[in-house]
Amino acid sequence: MSAEMTMEMPADAAKLSDLKQRAAILLTRGDLEGARSAVDAALVDQPEDADLLALRGTCRARQGELSDGIQDLATAVMARPRDWELLNSLAVHLQQMKMFDEAVVFHVKAINNSEPEQHPQLYINLGLAMMGQGEHLAAVELLEAVLAVHPDMLDAAVNLSSALNSLKEYGRSVEACRRTLAIVEAPELFHNLGNALHRIPGRNAEALAAFQRAVELDPTNWKSKHMLSLLRDEDMDSIPANFVEGLFDEYASYYERDVIEKLRYRVPGLIRRYLLKAVPGRTRFASVLDLGCGTGLTGVMLRDIADFQKGVDISRNMLKLALEKEIYDQLEAADLQVTLGEIDRTYSVAAAADVCGYIGRLEEFFAKVAAVVEADGLFAFSVEESFLADFEVSAAGRFAHRRTYVQKALADTGFKVLSVAREQLRNSGGRPVFGMIFVAQKTA
């Protein structure tokens, strides 16, 4: 009898309602294991309950099982296709998977099935998904419409100013930030204000004040701290890892479109050209380690000449896009200033396209590369060009390096230079950015 009663209890409406409420409270408190345990137990007897599936989906997503979480949420939506909260939750989690087209569809469905008082936040969520699609103009129109009615909606102002900065509409971004800051102060908005002012000639003093206020409001704001260091010309040996990771995680969804179509990024092709040119007659390599692989642009250029290829990058969002290309035998997330990842072999070639732009003092990084490259192995990489100092931060916020300094750093870490070529690496602000492609060989 007791066994039968145990099986029947979850079916009792009142007890099931209590269980759902308890699981929701645990989820709110951050007790993911407790919430998941309660929900899993209830799902044994109620496997199609939309509320339980939604709760488990949210738990799974927060526990890192994002794909499984989305499946649960999608099943819940199928059971209740007009539930705007479920539709919105599914859309938000699809955004986390960078599935922006699908997210937009479900955001629109959430709006169409909700009451007007829910629309402002739902429009903001839709605007974020549109930005992920690269539809910044459409996002701007939507977010401006929200702020016209609700000028104190901080999320709308932050996302609007981010979209305007992406469109290089810096004057409009400044106006948008200041309109909302007159009502409510927030570090994110001061940061975006600083970013816009920094890009307008002659307004660095105002940018400095904006970043300083952002840090005053949030002393852990590493983005604003980094920008303060740049504007104050403080000495830096490297750009903070959390800044680089955050930058490329946010940039991932439109990275390739931006660097290829707008910036005319040439480094991956140049690395291939000078790598092969440095060793005449050699057309294949046993193994390639693509450092700072990003979305895989260099990996695409080297795949056909590599028997084995591994990519390493600090940004997990960039790695997700690299994985879709199916050009790497292994991919790993790692901060290259700390480690080059798990190394189970020595490599014939290490490539580092644009990595040195985020590292000022190169000796430690070069030494790490030397440790994973085989004797007589090759190291091909790019640097932006500096003439005055061994390394300095450029106006674009990346490090540039002097040729003689790079050559000495290579020699000090066990490499000899096979070739160095001055090339246009990309455009920035409508102007060419010059740098050098080095190919060095590890001495035996």
PDB file of all heavy atoms in Angstrom, residues 303-334:
ATOM      1  N   ARG A 303      43.790  24.032 -43.029  1.00  0.00           N
ATOM      2  CA  ARG A 303      43.275  22.663 -42.891  1.00  0.00           C
ATOM      3  C   ARG A 303      43.821  21.717 -43.948  1.00  0.00           C
ATOM      4  O   ARG A 303      44.171  20.571 -43.663  1.00  0.00           O
ATOM      5  CB  ARG A 303      41.746  22.699 -42.946  1.00  0.00           C
ATOM      6  CG  ARG A 303      41.052  21.333 -42.920  1.00  0.00           C
ATOM      7  CD  ARG A 303      41.160  20.653 -41.565  1.00  0.00           C
ATOM      8  NE  ARG A 303      42.284  19.761 -41.391  1.00  0.00           N
ATOM      9  CZ  ARG A 303      42.428  18.937 -40.351  1.00  0.00           C
ATOM     10  NH1 ARG A 303      41.509  18.918 -39.388  1.00  0.00           N
ATOM     11  NH2 ARG A 303      43.480  18.166 -40.244  1.00  0.00           N
ATOM     12  N   ASP A 304      43.918  22.174 -45.187  1.00  0.00           N
ATOM     13  CA  ASP A 304      44.316  21.263 -46.266  1.00  0.00           C
ATOM     14  C   ASP A 304      45.813  20.946 -46.257  1.00  0.00           C
ATOM     15  O   ASP A 304      46.273  20.063 -46.984  1.00  0.00           O
ATOM     16  CB  ASP A 304      43.931  21.831 -47.632  1.00  0.00           C
ATOM     17  CG  ASP A 304      44.735  23.066 -48.008  1.00  0.00           C
ATOM     18  OD1 ASP A 304      44.846  23.966 -47.155  1.00  0.00           O
ATOM     19  OD2 ASP A 304      45.248  23.115 -49.136  1.00  0.00           O
ATOM     20  N   ILE A 305      46.591  21.642 -45.403  1.00  0.00           N
ATOM     21  CA  ILE A 305      48.022  21.331 -45.334  1.00  0.00           C
ATOM     22  C   ILE A 305      48.401  20.747 -43.972  1.00  0.00           C
ATOM     23  O   ILE A 305      49.579  20.633 -43.638  1.00  0.00           O
ATOM     24  CB  ILE A 305      48.893  22.573 -45.651  1.00  0.00           C
ATOM     25  CG1 ILE A 305      48.600  23.716 -44.671  1.00  0.00           C
ATOM     26  CG2 ILE A 305      48.676  23.037 -47.081  1.00  0.00           C
ATOM     27  CD1 ILE A 305      49.542  24.914 -44.835  1.00  0.00           C
ATOM     28  N   ALA A 306      47.377  20.391 -43.176  1.00  0.00           N
ATOM     29  CA  ALA A 306      47.616  19.845 -41.833  1.00  0.00           C
ATOM     30  C   ALA A 306      46.978  18.465 -41.708  1.00  0.00           C
ATOM     31  O   ALA A 306      45.801  18.293 -42.016  1.00  0.00           O
ATOM     32  CB  ALA A 306      47.046  20.782 -40.773  1.00  0.00           C
ATOM     33  N   ASP A 307      47.755  17.499 -41.240  1.00  0.00           N
ATOM     34  CA  ASP A 307      47.180  16.179 -40.973  1.00  0.00           C
ATOM     35  C   ASP A 307      46.323  16.210 -39.710  1.00  0.00           C
ATOM     36  O   ASP A 307      45.322  15.493 -39.606  1.00  0.00           O
ATOM     37  CB  ASP A 307      48.294  15.136 -40.803  1.00  0.00           C
ATOM     38  CG  ASP A 307      49.087  14.932 -42.089  1.00  0.00           C
ATOM     39  OD1 ASP A 307      48.503  15.113 -43.176  1.00  0.00           O
ATOM     40  OD2 ASP A 307      50.291  14.622 -42.003  1.00  0.00           O
ATOM     41  N   PHE A 308      46.733  17.022 -38.745  1.00  0.00           N
ATOM     42  CA  PHE A 308      46.006  17.171 -37.484  1.00  0.00           C
ATOM     43  C   PHE A 308      45.999  18.650 -37.135  1.00  0.00           C
ATOM     44  O   PHE A 308      47.020  19.330 -37.264  1.00  0.00           O
ATOM     45  CB  PHE A 308      46.690  16.368 -36.369  1.00  0.00           C
ATOM     46  CG  PHE A 308      46.077  16.562 -35.006  1.00  0.00           C
ATOM     47  CD1 PHE A 308      45.070  15.724 -34.555  1.00  0.00           C
ATOM     48  CD2 PHE A 308      46.516  17.582 -34.170  1.00  0.00           C
ATOM     49  CE1 PHE A 308      44.506  15.896 -33.296  1.00  0.00           C
ATOM     50  CE2 PHE A 308      45.956  17.770 -32.908  1.00  0.00           C
ATOM     51  CZ  PHE A 308      44.948  16.920 -32.477  1.00  0.00           C
ATOM     52  N   GLN A 309      44.846  19.152 -36.678  1.00  0.00           N
ATOM     53  CA  GLN A 309      44.758  20.586 -36.361  1.00  0.00           C
ATOM     54  C   GLN A 309      43.942  20.796 -35.088  1.00  0.00           C
ATOM     55  O   GLN A 309      42.825  20.297 -34.974  1.00  0.00           O
ATOM     56  CB  GLN A 309      44.111  21.348 -37.526  1.00  0.00           C
ATOM     57  CG  GLN A 309      44.043  22.857 -37.312  1.00  0.00           C
ATOM     58  CD  GLN A 309      43.741  23.619 -38.584  1.00  0.00           C
ATOM     59  OE1 GLN A 309      44.590  24.342 -39.110  1.00  0.00           O
ATOM     60  NE2 GLN A 309      42.536  23.461 -39.106  1.00  0.00           N
ATOM     61  N   LYS A 310      44.536  21.538 -34.156  1.00  0.00           N
ATOM     62  CA  LYS A 310      43.843  21.888 -32.919  1.00  0.00           C
ATOM     63  C   LYS A 310      43.691  23.398 -32.829  1.00  0.00           C
ATOM     64  O   LYS A 310      44.601  24.149 -33.187  1.00  0.00           O
ATOM     65  CB  LYS A 310      44.628  21.376 -31.699  1.00  0.00           C
ATOM     66  CG  LYS A 310      43.989  21.771 -30.364  1.00  0.00           C
ATOM     67  CD  LYS A 310      44.732  21.176 -29.171  1.00  0.00           C
ATOM     68  CE  LYS A 310      44.058  21.606 -27.862  1.00  0.00           C
ATOM     69  NZ  LYS A 310      44.691  20.973 -26.681  1.00  0.00           N
ATOM     70  N   GLY A 311      42.541  23.843 -32.335  1.00  0.00           N
ATOM     71  CA  GLY A 311      42.299  25.269 -32.122  1.00  0.00           C
ATOM     72  C   GLY A 311      42.111  25.575 -30.651  1.00  0.00           C
ATOM     73  O   GLY A 311      41.465  24.809 -29.934  1.00  0.00           O
ATOM     74  N   VAL A 312      42.676  26.689 -30.208  1.00  0.00           N
ATOM     75  CA  VAL A 312      42.559  27.126 -28.822  1.00  0.00           C
ATOM     76  C   VAL A 312      42.139  28.594 -28.818  1.00  0.00           C
ATOM     77  O   VAL A 312      42.699  29.406 -29.563  1.00  0.00           O
ATOM     78  CB  VAL A 312      43.900  26.965 -28.062  1.00  0.00           C
ATOM     79  CG1 VAL A 312      43.736  27.384 -26.605  1.00  0.00           C
ATOM     80  CG2 VAL A 312      44.416  25.541 -28.155  1.00  0.00           C
ATOM     81  N   ASP A 313      41.157  28.932 -27.977  1.00  0.00           N
ATOM     82  CA  ASP A 313      40.720  30.328 -27.896  1.00  0.00           C
ATOM     83  C   ASP A 313      40.124  30.591 -26.521  1.00  0.00           C
ATOM     84  O   ASP A 313      39.622  29.670 -25.870  1.00  0.00           O
ATOM     85  CB  ASP A 313      39.679  30.645 -28.977  1.00  0.00           C
ATOM     86  CG  ASP A 313      39.549  32.130 -29.229  1.00  0.00           C
ATOM     87  OD1 ASP A 313      38.751  32.795 -28.549  1.00  0.00           O
ATOM     88  OD2 ASP A 313      40.275  32.645 -30.112  1.00  0.00           O
ATOM     89  N   ILE A 314      40.162  31.834 -26.096  1.00  0.00           N
ATOM     90  CA  ILE A 314      39.623  32.200 -24.786  1.00  0.00           C
ATOM     91  C   ILE A 314      38.104  32.291 -24.804  1.00  0.00           C
ATOM     92  O   ILE A 314      37.446  32.137 -23.780  1.00  0.00           O
ATOM     93  CB  ILE A 314      40.239  33.537 -24.315  1.00  0.00           C
ATOM     94  CG1 ILE A 314      39.986  33.743 -22.817  1.00  0.00           C
ATOM     95  CG2 ILE A 314      39.718  34.711 -25.138  1.00  0.00           C
ATOM     96  CD1 ILE A 314      40.735  34.915 -22.221  1.00  0.00           C
ATOM     97  N   SER A 315      37.508  32.545 -25.988  1.00  0.00           N
ATOM     98  CA  SER A 315      36.070  32.788 -26.089  1.00  0.00           C
ATOM     99  C   SER A 315      35.320  31.517 -26.470  1.00  0.00           C
ATOM    100  O   SER A 315      35.492  30.977 -27.563  1.00  0.00           O
ATOM    101  CB  SER A 315      35.790  33.882 -27.135  1.00  0.00           C
ATOM    102  OG  SER A 315      34.415  33.905 -27.460  1.00  0.00           O
ATOM    103  N   ARG A 316      34.450  31.062 -25.579  1.00  0.00           N
ATOM    104  CA  ARG A 316      33.659  29.863 -25.871  1.00  0.00           C
ATOM    105  C   ARG A 316      32.649  30.123 -26.988  1.00  0.00           C
ATOM    106  O   ARG A 316      32.318  29.211 -27.749  1.00  0.00           O
ATOM    107  CB  ARG A 316      32.951  29.379 -24.602  1.00  0.00           C
ATOM    108  CG  ARG A 316      33.926  28.881 -23.535  1.00  0.00           C
ATOM    109  CD  ARG A 316      33.234  28.404 -22.277  1.00  0.00           C
ATOM    110  NE  ARG A 316      34.204  28.011 -21.271  1.00  0.00           N
ATOM    111  CZ  ARG A 316      34.788  26.827 -21.193  1.00  0.00           C
ATOM    112  NH1 ARG A 316      34.479  25.895 -22.094  1.00  0.00           N
ATOM    113  NH2 ARG A 316      35.667  26.548 -20.255  1.00  0.00           N
ATOM    114  N   ASN A 317      32.155  31.344 -27.084  1.00  0.00           N
ATOM    115  CA  ASN A 317      31.215  31.651 -28.158  1.00  0.00           C
ATOM    116  C   ASN A 317      31.889  31.581 -29.525  1.00  0.00           C
ATOM    117  O   ASN A 317      31.293  31.133 -30.508  1.00  0.00           O
ATOM    118  CB  ASN A 317      30.594  33.031 -27.945  1.00  0.00           C
ATOM    119  CG  ASN A 317      29.610  33.049 -26.789  1.00  0.00           C
ATOM    120  OD1 ASN A 317      29.224  31.996 -26.280  1.00  0.00           O
ATOM    121  ND2 ASN A 317      29.196  34.229 -26.363  1.00  0.00           N
ATOM    122  N   MET A 318      33.135  32.018 -29.593  1.00  0.00           N
ATOM    123  CA  MET A 318      33.877  31.908 -30.853  1.00  0.00           C
ATOM    124  C   MET A 318      34.143  30.430 -31.169  1.00  0.00           C
ATOM    125  O   MET A 318      34.040  29.998 -32.324  1.00  0.00           O
ATOM    126  CB  MET A 318      35.206  32.671 -30.756  1.00  0.00           C
ATOM    127  CG  MET A 318      35.063  34.154 -30.490  1.00  0.00           C
ATOM    128  SD  MET A 318      34.524  35.116 -31.916  1.00  0.00           S
ATOM    129  CE  MET A 318      36.098  35.622 -32.587  1.00  0.00           C
ATOM    130  N   LEU A 319      34.458  29.650 -30.142  1.00  0.00           N
ATOM    131  CA  LEU A 319      34.746  28.224 -30.356  1.00  0.00           C
ATOM    132  C   LEU A 319      33.516  27.470 -30.868  1.00  0.00           C
ATOM    133  O   LEU A 319      33.646  26.532 -31.659  1.00  0.00           O
ATOM    134  CB  LEU A 319      35.252  27.596 -29.062  1.00  0.00           C
ATOM    135  CG  LEU A 319      36.674  27.986 -28.643  1.00  0.00           C
ATOM    136  CD1 LEU A 319      36.984  27.455 -27.251  1.00  0.00           C
ATOM    137  CD2 LEU A 319      37.700  27.463 -29.640  1.00  0.00           C
ATOM    138  N   LYS A 320      32.331  27.873 -30.423  1.00  0.00           N
ATOM    139  CA  LYS A 320      31.112  27.231 -30.927  1.00  0.00           C
ATOM    140  C   LYS A 320      30.998  27.402 -32.443  1.00  0.00           C
ATOM    141  O   LYS A 320      30.613  26.476 -33.168  1.00  0.00           O
ATOM    142  CB  LYS A 320      29.877  27.823 -30.247  1.00  0.00           C
ATOM    143  CG  LYS A 320      29.701  27.402 -28.798  1.00  0.00           C
ATOM    144  CD  LYS A 320      28.515  28.134 -28.173  1.00  0.00           C
ATOM    145  CE  LYS A 320      28.416  27.846 -26.680  1.00  0.00           C
ATOM    146  NZ  LYS A 320      27.335  28.651 -26.041  1.00  0.00           N
ATOM    147  N   LEU A 321      31.335  28.583 -32.921  1.00  0.00           N
ATOM    148  CA  LEU A 321      31.282  28.844 -34.362  1.00  0.00           C
ATOM    149  C   LEU A 321      32.393  28.104 -35.097  1.00  0.00           C
ATOM    150  O   LEU A 321      32.194  27.624 -36.219  1.00  0.00           O
ATOM    151  CB  LEU A 321      31.366  30.354 -34.623  1.00  0.00           C
ATOM    152  CG  LEU A 321      30.218  31.176 -34.027  1.00  0.00           C
ATOM    153  CD1 LEU A 321      30.463  32.663 -34.219  1.00  0.00           C
ATOM    154  CD2 LEU A 321      28.890  30.787 -34.661  1.00  0.00           C
ATOM    155  N   ALA A 322      33.559  27.991 -34.458  1.00  0.00           N
ATOM    156  CA  ALA A 322      34.653  27.220 -35.068  1.00  0.00           C
ATOM    157  C   ALA A 322      34.271  25.752 -35.188  1.00  0.00           C
ATOM    158  O   ALA A 322      34.584  25.093 -36.193  1.00  0.00           O
ATOM    159  CB  ALA A 322      35.927  27.371 -34.232  1.00  0.00           C
ATOM    160  N   LEU A 323      33.581  25.239 -34.182  1.00  0.00           N
ATOM    161  CA  LEU A 323      33.168  23.836 -34.191  1.00  0.00           C
ATOM    162  C   LEU A 323      32.266  23.531 -35.378  1.00  0.00           C
ATOM    163  O   LEU A 323      32.362  22.457 -36.002  1.00  0.00           O
ATOM    164  CB  LEU A 323      32.439  23.513 -32.877  1.00  0.00           C
ATOM    165  CG  LEU A 323      31.967  22.074 -32.671  1.00  0.00           C
ATOM    166  CD1 LEU A 323      33.156  21.121 -32.631  1.00  0.00           C
ATOM    167  CD2 LEU A 323      31.151  21.974 -31.385  1.00  0.00           C
ATOM    168  N   GLU A 324      31.408  24.481 -35.731  1.00  0.00           N
ATOM    169  CA  GLU A 324      30.482  24.280 -36.851  1.00  0.00           C
ATOM    170  C   GLU A 324      31.209  24.114 -38.176  1.00  0.00           C
ATOM    171  O   GLU A 324      30.675  23.497 -39.103  1.00  0.00           O
ATOM    172  CB  GLU A 324      29.512  25.460 -36.933  1.00  0.00           C
ATOM    173  CG  GLU A 324      28.554  25.561 -35.755  1.00  0.00           C
ATOM    174  CD  GLU A 324      27.738  26.845 -35.771  1.00  0.00           C
ATOM    175  OE1 GLU A 324      27.872  27.613 -36.751  1.00  0.00           O
ATOM    176  OE2 GLU A 324      26.979  27.075 -34.814  1.00  0.00           O
ATOM    177  N   LYS A 325      32.419  24.638 -38.294  1.00  0.00           N
ATOM    178  CA  LYS A 325      33.151  24.536 -39.563  1.00  0.00           C
ATOM    179  C   LYS A 325      33.725  23.146 -39.806  1.00  0.00           C
ATOM    180  O   LYS A 325      34.111  22.818 -40.927  1.00  0.00           O
ATOM    181  CB  LYS A 325      34.282  25.580 -39.595  1.00  0.00           C
ATOM    182  CG  LYS A 325      33.811  27.019 -39.744  1.00  0.00           C
ATOM    183  CD  LYS A 325      34.999  27.961 -39.882  1.00  0.00           C
ATOM    184  CE  LYS A 325      34.561  29.362 -40.260  1.00  0.00           C
ATOM    185  NZ  LYS A 325      33.759  30.025 -39.242  1.00  0.00           N
ATOM    186  N   GLU A 326      33.850  22.358 -38.739  1.00  0.00           N
ATOM    187  CA  GLU A 326      34.376  20.984 -38.839  1.00  0.00           C
ATOM    188  C   GLU A 326      35.765  20.946 -39.484  1.00  0.00           C
ATOM    189  O   GLU A 326      36.061  20.107 -40.343  1.00  0.00           O
ATOM    190  CB  GLU A 326      33.399  20.087 -39.617  1.00  0.00           C
ATOM    191  CG  GLU A 326      32.031  19.971 -38.953  1.00  0.00           C
ATOM    192  CD  GLU A 326      31.094  19.044 -39.691  1.00  0.00           C
ATOM    193  OE1 GLU A 326      31.429  18.633 -40.821  1.00  0.00           O
ATOM    194  OE2 GLU A 326      30.017  18.743 -39.142  1.00  0.00           O
ATOM    195  N   ILE A 327      36.628  21.856 -39.043  1.00  0.00           N
ATOM    196  CA  ILE A 327      37.994  21.925 -39.599  1.00  0.00           C
ATOM    197  C   ILE A 327      39.053  21.585 -38.555  1.00  0.00           C
ATOM    198  O   ILE A 327      40.237  21.520 -38.886  1.00  0.00           O
ATOM    199  CB  ILE A 327      38.289  23.331 -40.172  1.00  0.00           C
ATOM    200  CG1 ILE A 327      38.017  24.401 -39.107  1.00  0.00           C
ATOM    201  CG2 ILE A 327      37.458  23.594 -41.429  1.00  0.00           C
ATOM    202  CD1 ILE A 327      38.469  25.785 -39.485  1.00  0.00           C
ATOM    203  N   TYR A 328      38.628  21.388 -37.304  1.00  0.00           N
ATOM    204  CA  TYR A 328      39.576  21.092 -36.230  1.00  0.00           C
ATOM    205  C   TYR A 328      39.376  19.670 -35.721  1.00  0.00           C
ATOM    206  O   TYR A 328      38.245  19.192 -35.593  1.00  0.00           O
ATOM    207  CB  TYR A 328      39.410  22.074 -35.065  1.00  0.00           C
ATOM    208  CG  TYR A 328      39.785  23.492 -35.411  1.00  0.00           C
ATOM    209  CD1 TYR A 328      38.811  24.436 -35.703  1.00  0.00           C
ATOM    210  CD2 TYR A 328      41.118  23.885 -35.456  1.00  0.00           C
ATOM    211  CE1 TYR A 328      39.151  25.745 -36.022  1.00  0.00           C
ATOM    212  CE2 TYR A 328      41.475  25.185 -35.778  1.00  0.00           C
ATOM    213  CZ  TYR A 328      40.489  26.116 -36.065  1.00  0.00           C
ATOM    214  OH  TYR A 328      40.833  27.407 -36.393  1.00  0.00           O
ATOM    215  N   ASP A 329      40.478  19.012 -35.413  1.00  0.00           N
ATOM    216  CA  ASP A 329      40.402  17.707 -34.768  1.00  0.00           C
ATOM    217  C   ASP A 329      40.147  17.852 -33.275  1.00  0.00           C
ATOM    218  O   ASP A 329      39.548  16.975 -32.657  1.00  0.00           O
ATOM    219  CB  ASP A 329      41.712  16.946 -35.003  1.00  0.00           C
ATOM    220  CG  ASP A 329      41.960  16.710 -36.493  1.00  0.00           C
ATOM    221  OD1 ASP A 329      41.270  15.859 -37.067  1.00  0.00           O
ATOM    222  OD2 ASP A 329      42.816  17.413 -37.062  1.00  0.00           O
ATOM    223  N   GLN A 330      40.603  18.965 -32.703  1.00  0.00           N
ATOM    224  CA  GLN A 330      40.347  19.278 -31.297  1.00  0.00           C
ATOM    225  C   GLN A 330      40.137  20.782 -31.155  1.00  0.00           C
ATOM    226  O   GLN A 330      40.728  21.577 -31.883  1.00  0.00           O
ATOM    227  CB  GLN A 330      41.527  18.866 -30.403  1.00  0.00           C
ATOM    228  CG  GLN A 330      41.745  17.377 -30.243  1.00  0.00           C
ATOM    229  CD  GLN A 330      42.949  17.076 -29.354  1.00  0.00           C
ATOM    230  OE1 GLN A 330      43.583  17.965 -28.800  1.00  0.00           O
ATOM    231  NE2 GLN A 330      43.261  15.799 -29.214  1.00  0.00           N
ATOM    232  N   LEU A 331      39.290  21.157 -30.190  1.00  0.00           N
ATOM    233  CA  LEU A 331      39.103  22.557 -29.825  1.00  0.00           C
ATOM    234  C   LEU A 331      39.137  22.654 -28.305  1.00  0.00           C
ATOM    235  O   LEU A 331      38.640  21.767 -27.606  1.00  0.00           O
ATOM    236  CB  LEU A 331      37.769  23.097 -30.347  1.00  0.00           C
ATOM    237  CG  LEU A 331      37.693  23.440 -31.833  1.00  0.00           C
ATOM    238  CD1 LEU A 331      36.248  23.650 -32.260  1.00  0.00           C
ATOM    239  CD2 LEU A 331      38.525  24.671 -32.150  1.00  0.00           C
ATOM    240  N   GLU A 332      39.704  23.743 -27.801  1.00  0.00           N
ATOM    241  CA  GLU A 332      39.807  23.903 -26.353  1.00  0.00           C
ATOM    242  C   GLU A 332      39.742  25.376 -25.980  1.00  0.00           C
ATOM    243  O   GLU A 332      40.288  26.231 -26.685  1.00  0.00           O
ATOM    244  CB  GLU A 332      41.113  23.304 -25.832  1.00  0.00           C
ATOM    245  CG  GLU A 332      41.237  23.340 -24.316  1.00  0.00           C
ATOM    246  CD  GLU A 332      42.497  22.671 -23.816  1.00  0.00           C
ATOM    247  OE1 GLU A 332      43.230  22.055 -24.627  1.00  0.00           O
ATOM    248  OE2 GLU A 332      42.764  22.757 -22.597  1.00  0.00           O
ATOM    249  N   ALA A 333      39.051  25.660 -24.881  1.00  0.00           N
ATOM    250  CA  ALA A 333      39.005  27.021 -24.343  1.00  0.00           C
ATOM    251  C   ALA A 333      40.152  27.209 -23.355  1.00  0.00           C
ATOM    252  O   ALA A 333      40.320  26.407 -22.438  1.00  0.00           O
ATOM    253  CB  ALA A 333      37.675  27.279 -23.649  1.00  0.00           C
ATOM    254  N   ALA A 334      40.945  28.265 -23.568  1.00  0.00           N
ATOM    255  CA  ALA A 334      42.073  28.532 -22.656  1.00  0.00           C
ATOM    256  C   ALA A 334      42.495  29.986 -22.800  1.00  0.00           C
ATOM    257  O   ALA A 334      42.373  30.587 -23.876  1.00  0.00           O
ATOM    258  CB  ALA A 334      43.254  27.614 -22.970  1.00  0.00           C
TER     259      ALA A 334
END
